[in-house]
Structure formats: C-alpha cells, structure tokens
Amino acid sequence: MAAPDHIDLQITGMHCASCSARLEKTLNKLPGVSAVVNIATEKASITFDPQLSDVERLIAAVRDTGFDAHPARDFAAEKAARAQAYRGELLQFGIAVLLTLPLLLEMLLMFFGIHLMMPGWLQWLLATPVQFWAGSRFYSGAWSALRSGGSNMDVLVALGTSAAYFMSCAVVALQLDQPLYFEASATLITLVLLGKLLEARAKGKASAALEALINLQPKLAHVERNGQMLDVSAGQLRPDEVFFVRPGESVPVDGEVLEGTSSLDESMLTGESLPQSKQPADKIYTATLNQHGLLKCRALAVGSHTQLAAIIRLVEQAQGSKAPIQKLADKISGIFVPVVLVIAALTFAAWWALGGEFTTALINAVSVLVIACPCALGLATPTAVVVATGRAAHAGILVKDAAALENAHKLSVLVLDKTGTLTEGKPALTDLLPADGIAQKLASSSTKQVFPHLNPLDKTTSHSTRLQTTAAKSLVIPQAGEEANVKINFRSFELLQIAASLAQNSTHPLSRALLEHAQSQQIAPTPTQNFSERSGSGVHATIGDASYLLGSPAFIAQSGVDLDNAQLRALQQQGKSVIAVARGDMLLGLIAFADQLRDSSRAAVAKLHDMGIRVIMLSGDNTATAQAIAAQAGIKEFRAEVLPQDKAAVVQTFKTEGNLVGMVGDGINDAPALAAADVGFAMKSGSDIALEAADLTLMRNDLMSVVDAISLSRATLRKIRQNLFFAFAYNILGIPLAAAGMLNPVIAGAAMAMSSVSVVSNALLLKRWQPPGKQS
C-alpha cells in the first residue's frame, strides 16, 4: 500500500456551514480520502491514497458539489486573491446601496408623515439589478447546492427575496391593488452583502497572527563569498554558508554562532521577553532580533526547514483542524436549511388558512427564510480556534490541532516528568565519595595495567605528589548553582576516572554530566569491553579482566554489593540523585548530582493547584530524593523509582480512574507517556520524538507555559460556548418571532446579516487574552 499523500485545497464559493458540511461529506465519500473542510479558513485539508485518488479528481469532486478549488498557495498569494475578491464585492455592494436607497427613502419618509409613492415601474427598474446582478451569488450558490442534492443559506436568501420580488412584479404587471415589496427584496440582498463583507473583514483579522509570523521572515542576508561581503536574498542562503548579523538586524536563517557575542530578542518565537545571550557554538533562529554586537554565523537550516517555517506550518495545520465541540454545530447545520424550509412552508400555510391574506402569509414566510442563519452556527467554533492558535503561537505555544486546544481546558490531572521539566535538565556533579579502602581495592595488578597512572596512597608519598604523577590539575567539584570551589583528593580522582570510563557509552543524563565533569578535569575515559546497559538503572562493563558496575543504588544492591546506607540517605534527603560504582561485589564509592529546580517551577505548580488541577511528579530517583524535589516544587504527590518504560503505564492508570490526564515531558523516554496522555505537552528543548508525540509544544522551557496553555484553552472554550449560545439563541428566538408575524422582512434580514458578524467579532476578543505567566 502506497504512503498517503496530503494536500490543502483553497475553496471558493462556500457561504455558510451547510456548504462546508456538504463538501466535507462529498470528499469523504471518495475512496481512500479523509478530508476536513474549515469554513473559517476556507480550506479543505485532505489526506488521500494516491493509488485511488489524485488532486485532479479531488478538485473535480469539489466542482461537482458546486464550489471551486485550487491547491493552496503561499499566504501572500492567497491574501492578494482575497483582497481582489473583496474589492469586487465592495464595488457590488456600493452599487446595490445606491440602487436600494431610493426604495428605502419612501419607507423612511413615512416616519416623518410624508407619503411619497414611487411608481411601480421605477421600483422594478431599481430592484431588478440588485436582485439578479448583486444577488447573483445567491442564485448560483442555491442552484449548485440543489443540483448536488443539498441546501444552504443561499437557498434561503434566494427563495425569500425571490418571493418578495416576484410577488411585487405580479402586482405591477397585473395592476393589482396590493402593496409592493421591491424595497424588501433589494434591502435584504444589500444587507446580506454587507454582512458578508463585515464577516470577511473580521475573518481576515482572525488570521492576523499567522500573517504576523510570516512577515517576520527577513528578506536579506549578509554573506561572505570569495572573500567579499554580499547582500543576497535570505531564500538564496545555503546550508553551511557563512553569514553575518549586524546589531539591530533580524537573523535570516537558523544557524550557529561562529564568532562574536550578543543578546538576541527571541520573544517573537518563544514569548520570552528577556533577551538571550549568544556566544560561539550557540544556536540562533530565523527572525530573532540581534540587539548588539556583530555575529558571524554558519547556516544550519534554510527556507522551509527553519524553526519559523515549522511554526507557521503548525499554526496553519491547527487553524484548519476541527474541535470536537464543533461536531454538534456541524450536525445541526446539515439539517438546518431543510428544517427552516419546512417551518417557512408551515408559516405560509397557517397564515393563509387562518388569516386569508396571501400577501401577509407570504411576507411572514419570507421573514422566516431570511432570519434563519446557519452561518453563525458554522463560524462559532472555527473562528475562535483560528484566533486562539494564532494567539498561542505569539505566546510561544504551538498547538498541533484544535482537539488538543479543547481538551486542555478539561484536564484534572497533570503528570510532570522531573528532569528537564521541573528542573533545568542539567544535572551537575556535586559529591565524589570514595568508599573506605578504595586504594587497597584498586591495588590489584589488573587495575594497574588498565589505569597505570592510578597509584594507591601510601605513607611515604604526599597527596600533591600523587596528583602530579597523574598529570592532573586541581580537581574540583562545583556545588549546585555555585562556582566550583572544592578540591578533591586522589581517591576521588580514581573513582571519577573509573566512573567516566563506564559512563562513556551511556546516553543517560547523569552519564553525560559525569563525562562533562571528567573532561573539565582533563580526565580521558579508558576503553571498556562487554558493555551493557539496563535502561534507567545502570551499566555493566569489563575493564581489563575486571567487571565493573555503575548505576542506581538499587541496581548496585541487586548485584550483591553492600552500600553505605547512612551516607546514601544523607545525600538523597538533600534532593540529590546518587549513583554507585562497584568492582565485582566491592563498593568503590558514591557519586551525587543535583539538578536545579527551574526558577518558575514552584510558582507554576501553585497556579496549577489554584486552577483545580492535581499535579503529580514522576521521577526515576528513589523515594527520599523524589520527596525532597517534590517538596521544593510544592508538589504533594509523586511517584518515585519510575522506569522510563513505565511512565506510559502510570499515565494510563490515572486515565482508568476517570481523569482527563495531561503529561509534560521533554525526553525520548517521555514520548510513549506523551502519546498515552489525553493532552501531551513537550518542552522545545526536548527530543524530536517527544515533540512529535506531544499535542502542544512549549517554545519556552518553562513550566509556566503549561499554565498559559491551559488558561488559553479555557478562554477559547468560553468564547466558543458564548458563540454557540448566541447562534442557537438567535435562531431559536428569531424564527418563532418571524413565524408569528412580529418581524418585518427587512428587520429579519438585518438581524441575519449581523448574527454571523457578531459571532466572529466575539471570537476576535480572544486577542485580548494575556498569558497568566506574564501577569504573575
């Protein structure tokens, strides 16, 4: 089976939710096709089997349904096309207003006691261009819908205005003694056109955040070619090419600093207001602003491969997705128009049968047709999602789809991985504690052959002589968050040498921290044989002809090694992670690490508690260490000694208890748990696998971003519920009033035109949302 293809089609001709629902149903009937049609973005996101369908067939299906389509172009091209269409509609509306005003003048003058009767033929002359030229879109839309076996808003408008128009034509042609309703039909069409213009303008503002992201992309880059400095288009930069960023300029592509130091404003990507210092070997990203200092850089990712381009794609993807709450509106929109047509027919029949007045019955039926508005229902959810995902990107939160945005507001349990989420994820070695008698334990010939520079302490050689013998400089251990200031003795040096040799082939964070410290002391690891690693527990390897172990105290104890439990507990109660080193069944020593809590972690946990969310920490550390870290962060519940492969099972356990569970992590071993959670949050500093598994990516490596994401989700759902309430209430109240003869068709048409505008405008208020993390 061939790999599925994906394409986004830009759709034209959709006027309401019934249109998008009908088109989506048609596309999903095609073999091997899965489609989502979004009325707010006017796009169809389609995944299809290339062996069963192709782009031409998809476009043909769209056209058969009564719409038109083309593969989505870049944002600028689509914006230019929409602007051109808007200008044409604005001209059409302007002419319709000029032709309709004289018809309205007669009605307006009546309020002042002036009765001016315009000849019927003149009213017909003014109303006809409005009906069939300005209103042509409603006729073509209605015909397309009916031809494909559906119905939409165009059917209601075309039917309602045609009834008023043709009845008036009959009165004029037959010279009947009946009132004319040319002003009603012309005014209805003009008001609906006004509503569509306002709606289009508001929908354009909804995607302003995406446009702002696109506009961030710099146009020029300063490159060095053949020894000359040239200004070239940023799109022409190639990977590994050297470029320069001057003070006050934006970075043209993702790269790495080669020379120079500066501070960069990365707020446009991460939402972090504080400038980030940059020096050689640091990564820099497209569109971030260089505040001072000239930077010489090497291009790493260009064009569509930059982080900014990835953010833009993710925002577009999220804006085109559907929230689960929209399903109700979609179902109602699918049957809305037929139900309204039935209500209008019953209204006409009832009024004619009971009142005997054909004109009154017809006008009341027209009022029912024109006040009903499926547009407001269809726009209630997607416009809020479009605004919210754009606002999220501005705050450094990337939303994969609308479902994640909706589900985040219902979270009752949030599971936090300790390392890299609550903490900085950069453990530092703080204690090297050799076991008593380590010098004698290492005095065997086999160890001397492998580590010839390791000379056991004796009574005749001084400590300083031993260090000179090893060619090592003063060996120091930094305390967590402090400058290194503690010199270690020769036995500690021996312990570090062996531990670094065992850790060199491990990917565990503590192994990396151990190696970094050894390198800082100019200690090179010795090659090992028969290396094996138990994930999250420890490693075993042979050095020379001796067998060594490095790992958690539990791992070492399982191998029959006696531990110094008093010393071990003392370190763990300080919140430190401890590993042990052993040779055979002999303990060589303990090594402790501290991973600092992020500055914002405690405040973020407090806010999560205030939001009614139960926070649980997962840690691979023992109970004492996990308890100490949890206490520092203000967390009441934690799970200790959780192996990487068991994290997903813990998440699943909470889900089976009836909770909606969120998971925050950053590592490869967090990916299964992130995927198992109802909503997964991944730190941007984490692995690509974790980012892929997560539903929301946090561009700031800050737990407060989770608070922001949940807050935005709650604000978005409030707006969606408000919009759905307005849309339902408007139709539930408006249709009965029109059927009861209490609404003039012109008033009904004005209300219909404004209903969708009010829904979109209410969604735009989400732009006022501010991250709680910045307010604190």
Side-chain angles (χ1 to χ4, degrees):
M1 182 178 177
D5 281 353
H6 182 87
I7 189 170
D8 289 330
L9 295 181
Q10 194 71 41
I11 310 296
T12 56
M14 290 195 302
H15 298 151
C16 69
S18 298
C19 298
S20 59
R22 191 173 81 255
L23 177 58
E24 185 171 293
K25 186 177 180 181
T26 299
L27 289 171
N28 283 319
K29 285 182 178 178
L30 296 175
V33 172
S34 174
V36 175
V37 180
N38 191 303
I39 184 66
T41 58
E42 297 178 345
K43 282 184 178 179
S45 179
I46 307 172
T47 302
F48 63 96
D49 184 343
Q51 293 181 340
L52 301 175
S53 295
D54 54 30
V55 175
E56 289 74 19
R57 187 175 180 185
L58 295 173
I59 293 176
V62 173
R63 289 172 178 163
D64 289 343
T65 315
F67 311 105
D68 202 356
H70 60 262
R73 298 165 292 201
D74 62 80
F75 190 88
E78 293 297 349
K79 183 183 177 183
R82 284 196 300 269
Q84 184 178 358
Y86 182 85
R87 287 191 295 270
E89 292 175 2
L90 190 62
L91 175 63
Q92 199 174 45
F93 168 72
I95 294 172
V97 169
L98 292 176
L99 294 171
T100 303
L101 280 177
L103 296 171
L104 277 177
L105 185 63
E106 177 184 331
M107 186 173 67
L108 293 173
L109 289 175
M110 289 182 183
F111 290 105
F112 300 98
I114 302 173
H115 297 277
L116 178 65
M117 291 298 294
M118 187 182 296
W121 63 269
L122 183 56
Q123 292 187 44
W124 172 83
L125 197 63
L126 292 169
T128 300
V130 176
Q131 186 72 34
F132 298 108
W133 177 70
S136 61
R137 60 182 289 177
F138 304 116
Y139 284 103
S140 61
W143 169 246
S144 297
L146 294 171
R147 185 165 57 92
S148 61
S151 56
N152 60 2
M153 184 203 74
D154 294 329
V155 172
L156 300 179
V157 175
L159 193 59
T161 58
S162 295
Y165 174 82
F166 285 113
M167 187 189 76
S168 300
C169 287
V171 170
V172 172
L174 301 176
Q175 297 184 353
L176 301 176
D177 186 18
Q178 294 289 339
L180 298 175
Y181 288 95
F182 284 120
E183 85 285 349
S185 64
T187 303
L188 283 172
I189 287 175
T190 303
L191 285 172
V192 174
L193 290 176
L194 173 62
K196 288 297 175 186
L197 285 172
L198 294 174
E199 181 185 313
R201 189 179 181 87
K203 282 162 67 176
K205 291 180 180 178
S207 60
L210 178 59
E211 183 179 0
L213 280 174
I214 292 170
N215 290 337
L216 285 174
Q217 299 179 101
K219 302 295 187 289
L220 289 177
H222 312 301
V223 299
E224 186 179 36
R225 290 179 180 171
N226 300 322
Q228 291 186 330
M229 187 73 72
L230 302 173
D231 287 348
V232 301
S233 168
Q236 295 178 358
L237 267 179
R238 299 183 295 269
D240 294 325
E241 193 164 15
V242 174
F243 65 95
F244 294 83
V245 186
R246 297 166 182 163
E249 293 183 340
S250 294
V251 178
V253 296
D254 291 358
E256 180 182 42
V257 178
L258 298 177
E259 296 178 12
T261 58
S262 184
S263 294
L264 266 64
D265 178 2
E266 298 182 344
S267 60
M268 62 288 297
L269 295 185
T270 66
E272 175 58 65
S273 58
L274 294 176
Q276 304 298 304
S277 61
K278 299 294 177 182
Q279 55 191 6
D282 284 347
K283 299 288 192 301
I284 57 174
Y285 299 100
T286 306
T288 54
L289 184 65
N290 183 18
Q291 296 193 328
H292 58 81
L294 177 67
L295 294 177
K296 181 179 180 181
C297 312
R298 178 171 63 90
L300 296 178
V302 301
S304 61
H305 301 289
T306 65
Q307 184 166 277
L308 178 62
I311 290 172
I312 291 170
R313 283 195 299 272
L314 201 56
V315 172
E316 286 181 323
Q317 174 186 319
Q319 291 185 345
S321 62
K322 281 190 177 182
I325 197 172
Q326 191 176 338
K327 292 178 181 177
L328 174 62
D330 286 347
K331 286 181 180 178
I332 293 174
S333 297
I335 62 170
F336 185 86
V337 174
V339 169
V340 170
L341 290 173
V342 170
I343 294 173
L346 291 174
T347 300
F348 175 77
W351 276 93
W352 196 8
L354 298 176
E357 285 283 339
F358 175 84
T359 303
T360 303
L362 184 63
I363 292 305
N364 289 339
V366 168
S367 295
V368 170
L369 290 171
V370 298
I371 198 170
C373 185
C375 297
L377 278 174
L379 290 168
T381 299
T383 47
V385 169
V386 168
V387 177
T389 49
R391 194 71 191 87
H394 184 74
I397 303 164
L398 300 185
V399 182
K400 184 176 287 187
D401 56 40
L405 186 66
E406 177 181 336
N407 289 336
H409 91 285
K410 298 183 288 186
L411 291 179
S412 56
V413 171
L414 189 66
V415 179
L416 307 177
D417 178 56
K418 186 204 76 174
T419 304
T421 302
L422 278 169
T423 64
E424 295 284 356
K426 298 175 182 177
L429 194 152
T430 59
D431 299 87
L432 275 171
L433 301 172
D436 291 338
I438 185 174
Q440 286 70 34
K441 292 175 183 178
L442 293 173
S444 70
S445 59
S446 61
T447 304
K448 284 182 177 179
Q449 291 170 5
V450 179
F451 303 104
H453 58 278
L454 297 183
N455 299 316
L457 294 177
D458 56 40
K459 296 179 180 179
T460 61
T461 311
S462 69
H463 172 85
S464 59
T465 303
R466 293 291 177 266
L467 289 182
Q468 290 170 5
T469 303
T470 63
K473 297 183 179 179
S474 60
L475 199 59
V476 296
I477 300 181
Q479 300 301 317
E482 299 177 357
E483 292 297 324
N485 56 12
V486 181
K487 293 185 179 181
I488 66 173
N489 60 31
F490 180 65
R491 292 189 303 152
S492 298
F493 182 91
E494 294 173 317
L495 180 63
L496 182 58
Q497 168 81 24
I498 295 171
S501 301
L502 295 170
Q504 62 185 318
N505 295 316
S506 171
T507 58
H508 194 280
L510 295 185
S511 294
R512 292 197 297 269
L514 182 61
L515 285 168
E516 286 175 6
H517 185 76
Q519 289 168 3
S520 72
Q521 304 303 323
Q522 299 182 356
I523 296 176
T526 298
T528 62
Q529 294 82 39
N530 304 318
F531 177 87
S532 64
E533 181 171 11
R534 187 191 298 174
S535 178
S537 296
V539 303
H540 171 274
T542 303
I543 304 176
D545 58 1
S547 178
Y548 289 86
L549 296 171
L550 172 73
S552 68
F555 173 75
I556 300 297
Q558 287 170 6
S559 301
V561 179
D562 292 330
L563 299 173
D564 185 341
N565 291 319
Q567 201 171 47
L568 181 61
R569 279 194 299 272
L571 292 169
Q572 291 172 343
Q573 287 169 357
Q574 297 174 45
K576 294 179 179 180
S577 299
V578 184
I579 60 175
V581 185
R583 177 179 173 225
D585 60 356
M586 294 185 298
L587 178 69
L588 299 184
L590 302 177
I591 304 175
F593 303 82
D595 189 3
Q596 275 192 304
L597 208 65
R598 292 185 188 274
D599 293 338
S600 61
S601 290
R602 187 174 181 87
V605 169
K607 279 189 174 290
L608 289 167
H609 284 150
D610 292 342
M611 297 169 86
I613 296 173
R614 181 180 163 200
V615 180
I616 294 150
M617 183 189 81
L618 297 187
S619 175
D621 290 319
N622 61 87
T623 302
T625 300
Q627 186 173 23
I629 294 291
Q632 292 174 29
I635 296 175
K636 300 173 183 176
E637 294 183 70
F638 63 90
R639 300 288 186 275
E641 298 181 9
V642 178
L643 296 175
Q645 60 267 31
D646 295 334
K647 292 180 182 179
V650 174
V651 169
Q652 199 62 45
T653 299
F654 288 117
K655 289 176 69 175
T656 56
E657 294 173 358
N659 299 297
L660 200 77
V661 181
M663 170 72 191
V664 190
D666 71 330
I668 292 175
N669 56 30
D670 295 326
L674 289 169
D678 295 295
V679 182
F681 301 83
M683 298 285 189
K684 181 63 181 73
S685 62
S687 71
D688 292 339
I689 295 175
L691 297 179
E692 183 66 28
D695 300 298
L696 293 98
T697 300
L698 311 175
M699 300 300 289
R700 291 200 324 270
N701 297 314
D702 185 340
L703 194 58
M704 197 62 79
S705 289
V706 178
V707 176
D708 295 344
I710 295 172
S711 169
L712 178 59
S713 172
R714 293 182 176 184
T716 303
L717 265 292
R718 279 196 299 271
K719 278 288 170 243
I720 289 174
R721 291 190 182 108
Q722 289 170 8
N723 283 349
L724 289 173
F725 173 79
F726 292 154
F728 281 118
Y730 161 81
N731 283 292
I732 289 170
L733 293 175
I735 292 174
L737 289 175
M742 301 173 67
L743 289 178
N744 178 283
V746 173
I747 303 301
M752 186 269 279
M754 292 301 107
S755 64
S756 56
V757 176
S758 64
V759 165
V760 176
S761 299
N762 187 49
L764 288 175
L765 294 177
L766 270 173
K767 288 187 173 184
R768 298 181 180 179
W769 173 84
Q770 291 297 325
K774 288 191 175 182
Q775 296 170 9
S776 60

